[in-house]
Amino acid sequence: MAQTDLNETTGPASKAPRPRRIHRAWFVAAVTFVTIIGAAAFRSLPGLLIGPLHQEFHWSRGTIGLAVSINLALYGLTAPFAAALMDRFGIRKVVAVALVVIALGSGLTVWMDSAWQLLLCWGLLVGLGSGSMALAFAATVTNRWFTTRKGLVTGILTAASASGQLIFLPLLSWIVDRHDWRPAAVTVSLAAFAVVPFVWLLLRDHPADVGLKPYGSQEFVEKPPPVTGAARRAVTVLFKAARTGPFWLLAGTFAICGASTNGLVQTHFVPAAHDHGMPVTAAASLLAVIGVFDVIGTIASGWFTDRFDARRLLAVYYALRGISLLFLPMLLAPSVRPPMIFFIVFYGLDWVATVPPTLALCREQYGDDSAIVFGWVLASHQVGAAVVAFAGGVARDAFGSYDVVWYASGALCAAAALMALVIRRRGEGAGVRPALT
């Protein structure tokens, strides 16, 4: 017996160990990353369009902000239904259709001449398409393909949106500055179309489709049958989650997250900086730098989420973000100075670092329904973003400045930090029913 063992390991007849292959889950994550990058191109554009659309069509900033707010709201409200549709029809089909809708919505804007067409194309169509490409998509991929490293993968996929902003924002700002806004809209449309073949050919719905175990799992997991009644399931999960305390705290904190990022900085930073004399291309470049450090911060946040209490991480993130926003009005100037660069780096590290711990708390609380619950939490994120996208434009029209919006958002972030600390872990407190059954 001992001789047999020796021959199997070190004897001349033994075979060299086969090189360890990279698990297919990482390739699926890579395709998901690239897909979200392509879809993120359109999210780079709204802040760049406020000035050109205002000058060409004489639409108020409030009207343009309303289109952005519809887009942001639908981005969130569509997400839980998209997660349920992925359970019904598969990830690949839902994402491919969503990318086509985004491309059509962006491309049709080049022929618009009325405000309602902006609301229809950029608000409705792009909002619906992007909602199906929301972070619920990343959550579904992570839940199906990974048993371990979920926090890290969530951070990487969340960072894809910032990477898309990093890639496209300087390009789009240059196109808007040199060639008008219409070629920029066409560029976004083509970027979304270009990703469709990658999704259709390379993305797979479940590890069982290729005969694999989820990454980190010791057991093979059968692919679940299609779940019918996607809309009914999404609403049912919402009603169950709404009876639990953690859901409202997570939704509330994430609403403030959306208000202080997508609704405020992504939409209004460029026009606000331009109000102080900064060139649009310089302001857009600063947003792109935010995207660089957001990638670092979000991946690091995923690593931290695998190791530390997600509630305390959220409290720290929101507190630091609130402090940075309170200082921003004092930093805006005609040129880029070192204090502004410090803000961009500091704020960028925190941009969507909240996503991995928020998603981790959803998984802990709601188990198999966590992707849909996170979709509803994301809906609150986008509703918060939509409110501030509209309110920011109205405030600029009314006061001639964005200052009041920066200060209000800083105060809201302080409230979010306190809310995060009072979220109860699963099983804590008799009055909380965190698990859905």
Side-chain angles (χ1 to χ4, degrees):
M1 185 66 182
Q3 183 64 39
T4 301
D5 291 340
L6 180 62
N7 288 338
E8 289 178 351
T9 55
T10 62
S14 65
K15 296 182 180 179
R18 298 174 62 182
R20 191 172 183 180
R21 299 179 60 185
I22 300 175
H23 195 283
R24 180 68 176 268
W26 294 108
F27 291 102
V28 172
V31 174
T32 304
F33 185 90
V34 173
T35 303
I36 296 175
I37 285 179
F42 81 92
R43 299 185 63 190
S44 304
L45 197 55
L48 303 177
L49 294 184
I50 292 178
L53 293 179
H54 175 69
Q55 293 174 7
E56 179 174 340
F57 298 108
H58 304 291
W59 300 333
S60 70
R61 289 177 173 82
T63 298
I64 301 169
L66 177 61
V68 177
S69 70
I70 292 173
N71 178 296
L72 293 172
L74 287 176
Y75 177 88
L77 293 172
T78 305
F81 296 98
L85 286 171
M86 289 176 187
D87 288 340
R88 174 67 178 88
F89 298 105
I91 299 173
R92 183 171 59 169
K93 293 179 181 178
V94 173
V95 172
V97 171
L99 285 167
V100 171
V101 172
I102 289 172
L104 291 175
S106 179
L108 290 174
T109 58
V110 301
W111 290 289
M112 69 182 179
D113 55 15
S114 299
W116 69 266
Q117 294 167 339
L118 177 67
L119 301 180
L120 174 64
C121 293
W122 204 263
L124 180 63
L125 291 179
V126 177
L128 289 173
S130 61
S132 300
M133 293 291 301
L135 291 173
F137 167 43
T140 301
V141 170
T142 304
N143 287 347
R144 292 186 181 185
W145 281 88
F146 291 86
T147 299
T148 59
R149 307 292 186 187
K150 286 186 175 182
L152 177 63
V153 175
T154 300
I156 293 172
L157 297 183
T158 302
S161 179
S163 299
Q165 176 176 289
L166 164 66
I167 293 169
F168 289 100
L169 190 56
L171 171 64
L172 294 175
S173 65
W174 181 84
I175 293 174
V176 170
D177 186 55
R178 300 291 183 88
H179 303 287
D180 196 26
W181 62 270
R182 288 179 177 84
V186 172
T187 301
V188 169
S189 180
L190 293 177
F193 267 130
V195 181
V196 174
F198 291 95
V199 171
W200 194 255
L201 295 175
L202 301 177
L203 192 63
R204 291 295 179 267
D205 293 331
H206 196 276
D209 289 341
V210 289
L212 293 175
K213 304 173 185 176
Y215 179 83
S217 175
Q218 299 300 317
E219 298 179 356
F220 184 82
V221 178
E222 295 288 344
K223 182 178 181 179
V227 180
T228 58
R232 182 175 64 253
R233 184 183 176 211
V235 174
T236 301
V237 169
L238 170 63
F239 281 121
K240 289 181 178 179
R243 296 199 298 267
T244 68
F247 173 80
W248 293 106
L249 291 169
L250 289 169
T253 55
F254 223 40
I256 294 172
C257 178
S260 56
T261 53
N262 302 87
L264 181 61
V265 174
Q266 184 169 319
T267 304
H268 294 293
F269 177 81
V270 171
H274 190 57
D275 284 346
H276 288 76
M278 185 180 294
V280 170
T281 51
S285 297
L286 289 176
L287 271 186
V289 174
I290 286 179
V292 175
F293 288 94
D294 176 41
V295 173
I296 299 171
T298 307
I299 294 176
S301 178
W303 188 87
F304 289 144
T305 301
D306 286 332
R307 291 161 174 79
F308 301 107
D309 188 335
R311 300 171 300 175
R312 292 183 172 86
L313 290 176
L314 287 177
V316 171
Y317 296 157
Y318 284 120
L320 294 177
R321 183 185 300 175
I323 292 171
S324 67
L325 288 173
L326 292 175
F327 280 97
L328 180 58
M330 296 179 281
L331 304 179
L332 293 170
S335 60
V336 179
R337 299 173 180 173
M340 173 59 75
I341 295 176
F342 179 80
F343 167 82
I344 292 298
V345 173
F346 188 86
Y347 184 86
L349 290 171
D350 201 336
W351 176 271
V352 285
T354 56
V355 173
T358 300
L359 183 51
L361 288 170
C362 285
R363 289 196 197 101
E364 175 187 303
Q365 302 282 352
Y366 305 109
D368 291 340
D369 288 322
S370 61
I372 296 178
V373 173
F374 180 72
W376 286 113
V377 172
L378 178 63
S380 70
H381 180 283
Q382 296 308 116
V383 169
V387 170
V388 172
F390 175 65
V394 172
R396 173 60 178 79
D397 291 333
F399 303 111
S401 169
Y402 286 101
D403 287 0
V404 66
V405 187
W406 303 124
Y407 294 135
S409 295
L412 285 174
C413 288
L418 295 175
M419 292 168 63
L421 290 175
V422 299
I423 296 174
R424 295 181 177 180
R425 303 297 296 268
R426 183 171 181 176
E428 291 180 356
V432 180
R433 298 171 52 200
L436 304 185
T437 56

